[in-house]
Amino acid sequence: EPEVTQTPSHQVTQMGQEVILRCVPISNHLYFYWYRQILGQKVEFLVSFYNNEISEKSEIFDDQFSVERPDGSNFTLKIRSTKLEDSAMYFCASSATGPNQPQHFGDGTRLSIL
Amino acid sequence: GENVEQHPSTLSVQEGDSAVIKCTYSDSASNYFPWYKQELGKRPQLIIDIRSNVGEKKDQRIAVTLNKTAKHFSLHITETQPEDSAVYFCAAIDTGGSYIPTFGRGTSLIVHP
């Protein structure tokens, strides 16, 4: 069964540095998502992406964040000038069509800001 | 915006018992309600979903019910097994409007052998 893959599995970064989290969605899926899960808390929606542009974004997704689909397979989340509170698990997900279809999650990237 | 409340936060049952997790939502426009199972350190996995045009959906030992009038939906797991132990999240999505999924805070289900 095809899966969403994420790299790296764990990223440790100094506060103030930029990080790029990478995702390869399922190949025939059209919608892509990023979520954040702070340790022990619920999953929080960050952004959805369709047709090479942001479809929806939450209040969390401020100017510090950006997403990109640099080629036909990768979907990236960039966090500029990281803060301690950015430490969390970041999940990428994809769905075949819209958000009314099942979303398939990757294994996540654990981001630790020191 | 949408607000999803999920109860209980922790549920402990004996193997073979049933488990019920309940969620309420605030936005009557929400029309798609998926449930995810997340084992420790792993990805959330969709286990069942329901749309607002049906009241109940079942898949083997798992069922979900939806009451649109009361704006609540529940996950039912029968004949629980130790491998059912995980955190379960509900979510509500307005697929005709904001498209932003709102998750509940999760229920930690512990099934004792």
Side-chain angles (χ1 to χ4, degrees):
Chain A
E1 185 177 335
E3 289 186 342
V4 175
T5 58
Q6 289 185 243
T7 55
S9 57
H10 191 190
Q11 174 79 45
V12 181
T13 301
Q14 290 289 330
M15 186 172 59
Q17 296 297 306
E18 174 184 285
V19 294
I20 297 176
L21 309 183
R22 303 181 190 278
C23 169
V24 179
I26 294 174
S27 63
N28 60 347
H29 283 189
L30 300 179
Y31 266 85
F32 316 124
Y33 314 85
W34 282 102
Y35 293 89
R36 179 182 80 176
Q37 187 177 32
I38 296 171
L39 186 63
Q41 298 187 24
K42 68 177 178 178
V43 176
E44 298 175 291
F45 171 83
L46 293 177
V47 66
S48 60
F49 192 86
Y50 171 72
N51 200 26
N52 282 319
E53 60 182 26
I54 290 174
S55 178
E56 298 286 345
K57 60 182 181 179
S58 71
E59 293 176 351
I60 302 169
F61 194 88
D62 58 22
D63 292 343
Q64 181 194 12
F65 294 89
S66 63
V67 289
E68 191 178 29
R69 186 152 166 84
D71 53 44
S73 60
N74 290 282
F75 178 52
T76 62
L77 174 69
K78 182 189 290 186
I79 310 175
R80 288 181 283 274
S81 189
T82 50
K83 305 187 288 279
L84 293 176
E85 52 265 39
D86 293 327
S87 296
M89 181 72 91
Y90 288 81
F91 289 103
C92 174
S94 69
S95 63
T97 54
N100 61 344
Q101 295 299 315
Q103 295 184 26
H104 299 260
F105 282 72
D107 281 332
T109 292
R110 179 165 298 285
L111 179 62
S112 300
I113 306 300
L114 304 179
Chain B
E2 174 66 278
N3 182 45
V4 175
E5 298 286 339
Q6 183 172 347
H7 299 281
S9 57
T10 305
L11 180 58
S12 184
V13 300
Q14 287 296 128
E15 183 176 1
D17 287 351
S18 294
V20 181
I21 303 170
K22 299 180 180 180
C23 288
T24 60
Y25 60 99
S26 60
D27 187 353
S28 56
S30 290
N31 57 0
Y32 176 56
F33 307 93
W35 284 90
Y36 290 89
K37 174 184 180 183
Q38 187 178 29
E39 296 177 31
L40 188 63
K42 297 193 175 180
R43 68 180 77 183
Q45 289 191 301
L46 179 75
I47 54 171
I48 197 167
D49 56 11
I50 192 167
R51 302 178 193 279
S52 59
N53 59 344
V54 299
E56 184 174 359
K57 183 175 178 180
K58 191 172 182 181
D59 182 3
Q60 298 182 332
R61 297 187 295 109
I62 296 172
V64 57
T65 58
L66 171 65
N67 183 328
K68 285 189 296 183
T69 304
K71 288 188 282 190
H72 68 71
F73 55 112
S74 300
L75 177 71
H76 305 253
I77 306 174
T78 58
E79 300 172 31
T80 53
Q81 300 165 4
E83 50 266 38
D84 294 330
S85 297
V87 178
Y88 291 80
F89 292 95
C90 64
I93 305 170
D94 170 14
T95 65
S98 73
Y99 277 92
I100 294 177
T102 302
F103 283 78
R105 292 195 172 275
T107 296
S108 178
L109 174 64
I110 303 165
V111 181
H112 299 280

